[in-house]
Amino acid sequence: MMIEVNNLVKSYGKETVLKGISFTVEEGEIFALLGPNGAGKTTTLECLEGLREYDLGEVQVFGENPKKAIEGGTIGVQLQSSSLPANLSVKDSMKLFCHWNQIKYRKDLLENLGLDVLENKAYKTLSTGQKRRLHLALALTHRPKVLFLDEPTAGLDVEARVSLHDEIRKLKKGGTTIILASHDMAEVEALCDRVGILVQGELRSMGTPGEIIREVEKEQWIEVQWKEELSNPVFQHLFDHQIIQGVHRFKTEKQLEGLREILDFTENNQLNLSDLRIQKPTLEQRFIQIAKGGM
Ligand SMILES: Nc1ncnc2c1ncn2[C@@H]1O[C@H](COP(=O)(O)OP(=O)(O)OP(=O)(O)O)[C@@H](O)[C@H]1O
């Protein structure tokens, strides 16, 4: 096991923000902590990064306590918000970090992250996406085995996000274990091997995105639109009828029977279908359910 968290408890004053959370991360995994604002994601990451004291529980990173792991260079960290001196160039910031880490200048990292062309640009002139890439490059200078990313793509446009995701996948391929915090469900679904859903300091669900989605898979929705206007068709296997902008939505636990009923009803009443689709449950739906307190 690469990372082991056992019954982690953390309070700020009287407020207990982590209420005994436990999880493990395997070597080479991308693990996400997904949760709404204030759920405790950053606090958890900071405890794992050795940057924050905790009250109870055990945290091990590669068999060491986090403070030792960060001193020994096992850990790389990209914080939620970081900054560098405004006039420092990309090249000089890389030089500085390499100097701190007592290693040779890592032009390769700037090249891999598409930053070599910006080498002489001052930090203040970089776009948000370019700054994110630079902070990622700097977090990687000492070749950490574990990389912590706190909302790595917040505020990035679609293109910048997709390309940063590609870089994160490449790091995983290279053997880096990655733990990230996010409230972007699409990001987590696309990128992560496993996810823990954190709500009010408790891990309410954990598994692969597929496993978490399957927790609601029984509940599928069928959406159907007829050319004719209908107010309230009644079916045996379809329930919770809603009409949203002319589209009829039904919940079902028996997809095939439900579809058959719709087709028979359409034919028997000589109606015309203009659309028929099955709406697959998404991680977002499950997340909303869990965040609202449903299990
Ligand atoms: N240094 C601090 N002192 C006091 N309370 C804090 C401190 N840092 C965080 N908190 C509180 O702890 C709770 C968890 O915060 P945390 O930043 O860990 O959540 P988060 O899930 O990362 O949220 P977000 O998605 O908004 O970044 C919040 O209620 C927050 O107000």
Side-chain angles (χ1 to χ4, degrees), residues 11-13 15-18 35-46 52 80 150-151 181-183 198:
S11 302
Y12 294 111
E15 193 193 359
T16 305
V17 298
L18 299 180
N37 288 130
K41 304 179 296 293
T42 299
T43 304
T44 308
L45 289 192
E46 287 174 349
R52 196 168 282 288
Q80 194 169 37
D150 200 345
E151 296 186 23
S182 179
H183 30 67
L198 192 63

Side-chain angles (χ1 to χ4, degrees), residues 48-270:
L48 268 60
E49 292 156 359
L51 302 176
R52 196 168 282 288
E53 301 287 340
Y54 45 91
D55 305 323
L56 278 177
E58 268 182 276
V59 179
Q60 297 250 304
V61 178
F62 256 110
E64 292 178 319
N65 83 42
K67 284 213 165 103
K68 273 211 164 149
I70 202 158
E71 278 164 21
T74 307
I75 293 177
V77 176
Q78 187 191 5
L79 298 172
Q80 194 169 37
S81 56
S82 346
S83 194
L84 287 168
N87 292 315
L88 195 68
S89 69
V90 168
K91 189 176 186 173
D92 286 344
S93 57
M94 180 53 87
K95 270 190 188 163
L96 190 66
F97 271 65
C98 290
H99 181 71
W100 272 337
N101 287 305
Q102 300 174 348
I103 49 169
K104 276 194 197 155
Y105 183 66
R106 296 217 40 205
K107 193 174 170 73
D108 61 310
L109 272 179
L110 295 184
E111 283 167 1
N112 292 348
L113 287 159
L115 290 162
D116 49 331
V117 288
L118 306 170
E119 258 185 349
N120 297 316
K121 278 195 105 180
Y123 183 74
K124 67 177 177 196
T125 66
L126 300 177
S127 72
T128 311
Q130 291 164 343
K131 282 181 184 159
R132 283 285 155 87
R133 282 169 173 272
L134 178 60
H135 286 293
L136 181 59
L138 298 176
L140 291 167
T141 48
H142 59 296
R143 299 185 171 84
K145 292 179 186 165
V146 192
L147 181 66
F148 290 98
L149 304 170
D150 200 345
E151 296 186 23
T153 59
L156 299 192
D157 65 25
V158 177
E159 206 182 323
R161 189 181 330 182
V162 167
S163 92
L164 200 56
H165 284 173
D166 286 343
E167 296 310 325
I168 295 171
R169 283 194 198 94
K170 276 188 212 156
L171 289 170
K172 173 191 155 81
K173 267 198 180 159
T176 311
T177 304
I178 296 158
I179 303 186
L180 60 93
S182 179
H183 30 67
D184 180 340
M185 274 135 306
E187 166 163 286
V188 168
E189 206 169 342
L191 197 60
C192 300
D193 299 305
R194 281 190 315 126
V195 48
I197 298 186
L198 192 63
V199 181
Q200 293 174 2
E202 291 172 8
L203 266 177
R204 299 258 174 96
S205 182
M206 198 156 34
T208 64
E211 282 165 353
I212 292 176
I213 292 166
R214 276 196 289 280
E215 291 171 5
V216 276
E217 198 135 73
K218 270 188 172 173
E219 264 183 30
Q220 297 207 338
W221 290 87
I222 293 179
E223 290 183 351
V224 52
Q225 193 166 16
W226 287 281
K227 289 204 172 118
E228 297 77 9
E229 210 169 292
L230 299 171
S231 58
N232 196 13
V234 176
F235 301 102
Q236 201 187 335
H237 294 103
L238 302 169
F239 43 94
D240 283 359
H241 179 221
Q242 303 165 1
I243 306 176
I244 301 164
Q245 292 176 335
V247 179
H248 298 253
R249 283 187 94 220
F250 300 94
K251 206 193 258 187
T252 184
E253 288 184 6
K254 297 203 168 166
Q255 197 188 91
L256 268 183
E257 286 85 341
L259 285 171
R260 243 180 238 128
E261 273 189 273
I262 288 173
L263 293 176
D264 289 347
F265 175 82
T266 304
E267 196 175 350
N268 296 341
N269 292 287
Q270 298 184 332

